[in-house]
Amino acid sequence: MHFSSAVLVAIAAFAPSVFATPVAAPEADTPDQEVTLSSEPLVLNGTAIEKRSFIKTCQSCREKWDNAWVLECECKVSDRNWPWTGIDLNTCIGNEDGRLVWRRNGNARDSCRPQGMGEYGDLNEYLLIAACDGKDGYTNFGQRINLNEKIHNINGKLQCHL
């Protein structure tokens, strides 16, 4: 799927307003809550928090292909705190007939082979590139998925937001 620069700019301009939806403050006697991950805005203790794409708040990213597809980065928690964190991309990426797609517990590595991962261009893209087997038995080389779309730094930890 290919998008023009104008479409990507329009999506980028619209996205912050979607995730900045306010949520009512918790009652005084409400216990602390975990960060809630879903297709809804991120919520911490009843208050909406900004979803941060990992490229803007992580550094020194690298991949590990040994037993899993792991993305590791130093991700910002505060101005002086950048702990290492990692995420197994198989927990959120799958293969749909030879294409990389976002899918909970997708296990893309079962039918795809990594070809590369890294930051590309000026569009805030951090691409995973793989060769994936299609239902027809053919391998589709150069399949791409922008990890920056659904991988976010949440308090110093890389997480999928599907």
Side-chain angles (χ1 to χ4, degrees):
M1 185 180 307
H2 298 282
F3 294 103
S4 70
S5 295
V7 171
L8 292 173
V9 169
I11 291 169
F14 175 72
S17 65
V18 172
F19 301 115
T21 305
V23 176
E27 299 296 322
D29 57 351
T30 303
D32 286 342
Q33 300 170 356
E34 296 290 323
V35 173
T36 305
L37 292 179
S38 69
S39 58
E40 300 299 316
L42 298 175
V43 177
L44 177 63
N45 293 331
T47 304
I49 59 174
E50 178 186 357
K51 244 181 23 171
R52 297 183 288 176
S53 58
F54 78 95
I55 288 178
K56 295 179 182 177
T57 59
C58 297
Q59 62 189 16
S60 304
C61 295
R62 61 188 180 205
E63 66 274 356
K64 288 189 175 182
W65 305 120
D66 298 337
N67 296 324
W69 287 10
V70 176
L71 171 66
E72 291 183 332
C73 301
E74 292 177 304
C75 292
K76 184 176 182 177
V77 176
S78 64
D79 287 338
R80 291 184 216 141
N81 193 1
W82 293 71
W84 278 99
T85 182
I87 184 168
D88 181 350
L89 298 173
N90 286 291
T91 63
C92 51
I93 297 176
N95 174 6
E96 185 173 292
D97 195 19
R99 294 180 306 116
L100 291 171
V101 295
W102 293 106
R103 181 179 300 137
R104 239 180 258 290
N105 299 316
N107 291 315
R109 79 166 178 225
D110 291 347
S111 57
C112 297
R113 285 145 315 282
Q115 294 180 294
M117 188 185 309
E119 194 167 353
Y120 295 90
D122 297 327
L123 299 174
N124 280 335
E125 291 185 331
Y126 198 93
L127 299 179
L128 167 63
I129 303 170
C132 297
D133 299 332
K135 291 178 184 175
D136 58 7
Y138 290 100
T139 300
N140 297 312
F141 293 91
Q143 297 303 302
R144 299 165 185 243
I145 195 163
N146 183 3
L147 300 179
N148 206 41
E149 291 175 353
K150 304 281 184 182
I151 307 287
H152 300 282
N153 171 13
I154 308 296
N155 198 27
K157 296 193 183 298
L158 291 174
Q159 297 181 7
C160 285
H161 186 83
L162 300 177

